[in-house]
Structure formats: C-alpha cells, structure tokens
Amino acid sequence: MAKTETGNGLYKLTDEGKVGLREAEREANGSAISAGSKADKYGFTGGAQQASGQSGEDIPLIVLRQRETKWLEMLNNWDKWMAKKHKKIKERCQKGIPPSLRGRAWLYLTGGKVKLEQNRGKFQELDSLPGDPKWVDIIERDLHRQFPFHEMFAARGGHGQQDLFRVLKAYSLYRPEEGYCQAQAPVAALLLMHMPAEDAFWVLIQICEKYLPGYYSTGLEAIQLDGEILNALLRRVSSTAHRHLKKHKLEPILYMTEWFMCAFSRTLAWSSVLRVWDMFLCEGVKIIFKVGLVLLKCTLGTQEKLKTCQGSYETMERLRGIPSQYMQESFLVNEVIELPVSEKDIEKEHLAQLRRWKENRGDLQCSSPPRMHGAKAIMAADPPMKQYLKQNPTIIVPLISKSDEADAKTRNTIKEEPETDLLLEDSGAPPTATTRLSNSREEIGSRESLSNEEMDTYL
C-alpha cells in the first residue's frame, strides 16, 4: 500500500490500486494522444498543460544566445561561481535557465552531478535488480497517470514510461525503508523531460533528501508540519485569506498537499512550472512556500474575491482551480521574487511549529535529515572535489571576435542586460551553427542539450 495523504483524492490508493484521477487522465490507458495531434513547444498535445494562454514568454533569440553562453561559462567553472558569485547564479535562475541547458543546470544546482560521480555504477546496479514486488506493482500501475498528454509519456510501455519505471524502482531500492510514494512520480517525470534516467535518479535523490526531506515518508509528518508553517506565514502575508480559511476550518493539508509534494508540477501553467523549478532548485523550499503564499493571497486576499467563496466547498473549489491570470509566468515569478519571505522566516516558524507539534502530538515518528535551503547550502555541506564537477564531454565556451560581435549587434538591436562581473567575456552570441538551440522544442532540447553534431561546443 502506497504512503498517501487521504485528504487529497489524487493520492488515495484503494485495494484495487486505483487512484482518484482527473477525468482527462483516464484516457491514458493506451495513449492519450490522438493521431494528428500537434505538440506544443513543451511536448504537450492537450490536457491542462496545453490550455490557452499558457505558452510562456518568448525570449528574443539574441538574448537567449547570450544567456546560453553565460550558463556554459558558469557550468565550466561551477565551484568558482558558487563560491564567489552565487548571487549572480540566483539572479540568472530567476530570469529563467535557457531551455537547452536546463537539465544540465538542474543537475549541478541540486548536487546531483556530484552524487552521480561519487556513486558511479550505482544506478546501473539498482536498475538490474528486480525490485520489491509490492512497490513494483504500484509503480507500474502509476506510470500512465503521469502527464499522459505529453508525447514522452503518452504511449503505454513507451520509452518515457520505461525510464520512469527505472527511476522510481531504483529509488525504492535505494531507500527501502521509504519505498515508493506516488507523489514522487510526477517529480521524476518532469526530470526525465530534461535529462537521462541516471541523472534524473540522482536529482530525485537530492530533492527527496535535501530539498524536501521527509515529504515521502510514512505518515507524511513533514508535509503536515510544513502546512502549519505555511498557515503561520499566511497570517503575516494576507490576514484576510488566513481569517477566511480559519473561519471555514480548512486545514492547510487539505489544499497544499499536492502543491508541495509535487512542487507545483501538477498545478501551474507549464511555463510557470519550469520557472518555479529553476528558482526552487537554486534557492530551496523557500520558493515552494512563496508560490503557495502568492496563490493564496491572490485568490483569497480581498473581500471582493471572497464573495464567490462563501463556504468551505466553494473555497476548496477555488483553490483547486486557481484563476489562470495568477499562474501566468511573468506575473507569478515577479510576485514570488518580491514577496518578503526568507529562509530565516521559514526556519523560525519551523522551530515554533515543531515545539507545538511535540506539545500536542509528541515526538515525530519519522526522523528526516536537515533541510538544505538551496544549491549553496548543499555545496557548503559537502564540498565536492573538482573532478566531480567536470563536464563529460567538456563544454567549450566560444570566444567571439569583434567583427562577429559587431555583425550580431547590427542584425538585432535587442540586448541582454549588461553584466560586468563575468569570469569570461560573454557579451557576444555563440557560434552560428545554432539550429539546435533556436529551433528545438523546450523539453526535448533540454533533455538532449547540446548533443547535436551541428553544435561546435563539445571536445
């Protein structure tokens, strides 16, 4: 039996292994994609992720190329950037990681690259084992429920579902005391849209152990505790929303379980999901709290908005269907960045809620490792050896001649914002053979980032 929060139908597992699903996902027993369906730039052919108005922002090509060059330089000197210019990494994550480099950047931000190098062959070892039958059976029945309208996961038994099974089974063997929790499946699926199975496995390990420790353990005590932290922070951020939820006795666990356990991968517009994850994997769980607070404030933060939420049922329906304007990329990201909630605020409330928990319920039944607030804290806790950060194959950051730089500026006057603190000159665009970066869809381009032979960036 999977470890689930029964207050949310998404994760409730019956004896027959059925999960409460959205109606659209029930079509995924074979393939949710009909013949002739056209995928968007993220790989979705329908469903909530392809709803109108969720296509994301279009970044001018020259700006995208400049950002790619900057990220290539950072990845080639990751230890130096993390030690001396972490603030710049944070700012660039807030702007959005270039699609072609997103998977590689996530691997470095989470420390997954170091874990992989320290445990070479471990994933292959786990992959070759049969797995615990009780978890294997549940995992197999969950595969077709993860983003069934994405072309990578639509076909039953397709390569996407096969890789998803491999990653989830390997995790259940890596942490047999935890096994498998169904909320891990959409997290792993999102990672697989951007990176190979072995990389996705180690990033999933880092998310479960460093970013969201205890979230997927029996009893879900960590998620309940974070629900109380969210409620306490909401009192400060939006007293109107806090009073309304308290009036109708709507406990945080009723509406924030899916938000937090899936890191909003099943909630937001897809372009917003990617931007939130860029910030989340850089700055830590603070971003998840801030997104939740922004959604609650925008949805329930004024008396005018509460006119259509007179009871608990109406309020829950509104929180299950957040108005689309609050989930749009530019609006949401700006609100999250501006919201004044820090790691110290979260840790202060964590200690307060932990004391209250012990007074009312006793000690926590499941102990979890300390939470790490983002990439910098993870690297500081376990400084990596330089060879663990080496790109394989090595990425070469191209140097642009003055004449090429002048030609690029003549063709397009749109400029990336100036930067004066780069470790390598990066004001120009990468080489002209950039068809892969400019034309590929976001998801597939990220998963196979810079692997095209046309790209002269590898040794």
Side-chain angles (χ1 to χ4, degrees):
M1 191 66 93
K3 306 174 292 298
T4 61
E5 170 55 50
T6 57
N8 188 321
L10 175 64
Y11 300 117
K12 185 176 181 181
L13 183 66
T14 67
D15 293 336
E16 294 78 20
K18 296 180 181 178
V19 178
L21 301 171
R22 295 177 175 87
E23 287 298 319
E25 294 181 348
R26 298 184 186 277
E27 298 178 29
N29 292 326
S31 173
I33 299 179
S34 59
S37 298
K38 184 178 180 181
D40 63 14
K41 65 180 181 179
Y42 304 113
F44 290 98
T45 61
Q49 285 81 12
Q50 205 193 41
S52 60
Q54 298 187 5
S55 59
E57 298 175 336
D58 291 324
I59 301 174
L61 185 57
I62 191 171
V63 173
L64 182 61
R65 301 277 175 76
Q66 290 173 345
R67 291 183 181 180
E68 286 163 349
T69 304
K70 293 169 185 176
W71 272 95
L72 287 173
E73 156 59 14
M74 289 198 302
L75 292 170
N76 273 337
N77 298 277
W78 190 249
D79 53 339
K80 295 179 181 178
W81 278 87
M82 287 296 294
K84 299 178 181 180
K85 296 183 181 295
H86 175 262
K87 183 178 179 181
K88 182 59 65 178
I89 295 177
K90 175 180 172 182
E91 290 174 358
R92 290 178 179 173
C93 286
Q94 290 176 348
K95 292 178 183 177
I97 300 171
S100 60
L101 295 171
R102 182 167 269 129
R104 198 185 308 270
W106 286 359
L107 185 65
Y108 274 70
L109 284 166
T110 58
K113 169 67 172 173
V114 175
K115 290 285 286 187
L116 187 156
E117 296 297 339
Q118 290 174 337
N119 297 274
R120 276 289 175 186
K122 184 64 175 179
F123 176 73
Q124 288 75 13
E125 174 191 338
L126 297 172
D127 193 29
S128 66
L129 298 176
D132 188 327
K134 72 175 181 179
W135 298 127
V136 167
D137 181 55
I138 296 172
I139 291 170
E140 287 179 336
R141 286 181 288 182
D142 276 352
L143 295 178
H144 71 277
R145 295 162 180 155
Q146 313 311 322
F147 307 110
F149 289 100
H150 192 280
E151 58 184 2
M152 184 174 176
F153 300 102
R156 184 178 287 276
H159 70 92
Q161 291 192 12
Q162 290 179 34
D163 280 352
L164 182 57
F165 173 80
R166 293 170 63 205
V167 170
L168 296 174
K169 184 199 74 173
Y171 184 88
S172 70
L173 291 169
Y174 186 80
R175 287 285 178 259
E177 69 280 8
E178 291 187 9
Y180 164 66
C181 178
Q182 288 169 306
Q184 292 171 317
V187 173
L190 193 159
L191 294 173
L192 285 169
M193 294 178 193
H194 296 82
M195 61 188 74
E198 183 176 16
D199 293 0
F201 170 73
W202 290 111
V203 175
L204 178 64
I205 294 291
Q206 293 296 89
I207 290 173
C208 294
E209 295 185 354
K210 303 293 176 62
Y211 289 81
L212 306 174
Y215 268 34
Y216 308 107
S217 301
T218 303
L220 302 181
E221 292 176 322
I223 195 71
Q224 295 181 62
L225 193 62
D226 276 2
E228 296 304 321
I229 296 172
L230 178 70
N231 193 45
L233 293 173
L234 181 62
R235 184 188 300 113
R236 190 182 77 187
V237 171
S238 176
S239 58
T240 300
H242 180 268
R243 285 195 303 269
H244 180 79
L245 292 169
K246 183 177 180 180
K247 174 183 176 181
H248 295 288
K249 296 182 173 59
L250 292 175
E251 298 296 326
I253 199 70
L254 296 176
Y255 56 83
M256 55 76 71
T257 304
E258 182 180 10
W259 291 0
F260 278 50
M261 292 187 74
C262 299
F264 290 98
S265 61
R266 297 177 63 102
T267 304
L268 303 174
W270 198 250
S271 59
S272 300
V273 170
L274 299 179
R275 294 289 300 280
V276 165
W277 272 57
D278 290 345
M279 295 187 292
F280 164 53
L281 297 183
C282 179
E283 302 178 53
V285 77
K286 170 183 70 175
I287 298 298
I288 301 299
F289 277 99
K290 292 175 77 171
V291 172
L293 291 168
V294 167
L295 295 182
L296 289 168
K297 177 183 176 181
C298 291
T299 305
L300 306 173
T302 66
Q303 293 301 323
E304 183 67 25
K305 294 172 182 176
L306 294 178
K307 288 181 179 179
T308 57
C309 302
Q310 295 300 313
S312 58
Y313 175 80
E314 291 83 2
T315 302
M316 282 300 300
E317 286 299 298
R318 176 57 63 88
L319 293 177
R320 290 190 185 103
I322 301 289
S324 60
Q325 65 266 29
Y326 303 137
M327 297 193 293
Q328 292 305 303
E329 177 183 348
S330 57
F331 174 84
L332 181 62
V333 169
N334 183 67
E335 290 292 315
V336 168
I337 292 173
E338 294 298 323
L339 193 69
V341 173
S342 67
E343 292 92 341
K344 290 183 179 179
D345 295 329
I346 293 171
E347 286 306 312
K348 180 181 178 181
E349 281 300 335
H350 181 270
L351 293 175
Q353 296 303 326
L354 190 59
R355 288 194 298 269
R356 185 172 300 175
W357 179 289
K358 290 182 178 180
E359 291 172 0
N360 298 331
R361 311 189 197 186
D363 292 331
L364 294 171
Q365 298 301 309
C366 183
S367 59
S368 57
R371 178 153 55 196
M372 300 288 179
H373 286 279
K376 186 175 183 180
I378 291 172
M379 179 171 277
D382 186 17
M385 299 176 68
K386 191 171 182 65
Q387 62 262 35
Y388 291 156
L389 297 173
K390 184 178 179 181
Q391 303 266 353
N392 186 24
T394 301
I395 293 179
I396 298 174
V397 181
L399 294 175
I400 308 301
S401 68
K402 294 296 183 179
S403 59
D404 289 341
E405 182 178 349
D407 290 343
K409 291 182 177 179
T410 301
R411 288 192 301 269
N412 195 327
T413 58
I414 300 176
K415 299 179 181 179
E416 171 70 307
E417 43 272 73
E419 303 203 21
T420 58
D421 56 352
L422 300 181
L423 299 180
L424 182 70
E425 178 61 42
D426 65 352
S427 60
T432 56
T434 51
T435 305
R436 178 71 176 174
L437 290 176
S438 60
N439 295 332
S440 62
R441 286 195 324 275
E442 178 144 0
E443 301 306 331
I444 293 181
S446 297
R447 178 173 177 172
E448 301 174 359
S449 57
L450 299 179
S451 62
N452 193 302
E453 292 180 357
E454 294 178 335
M455 291 304 301
D456 187 22
T457 53
Y458 277 162
L459 283 178

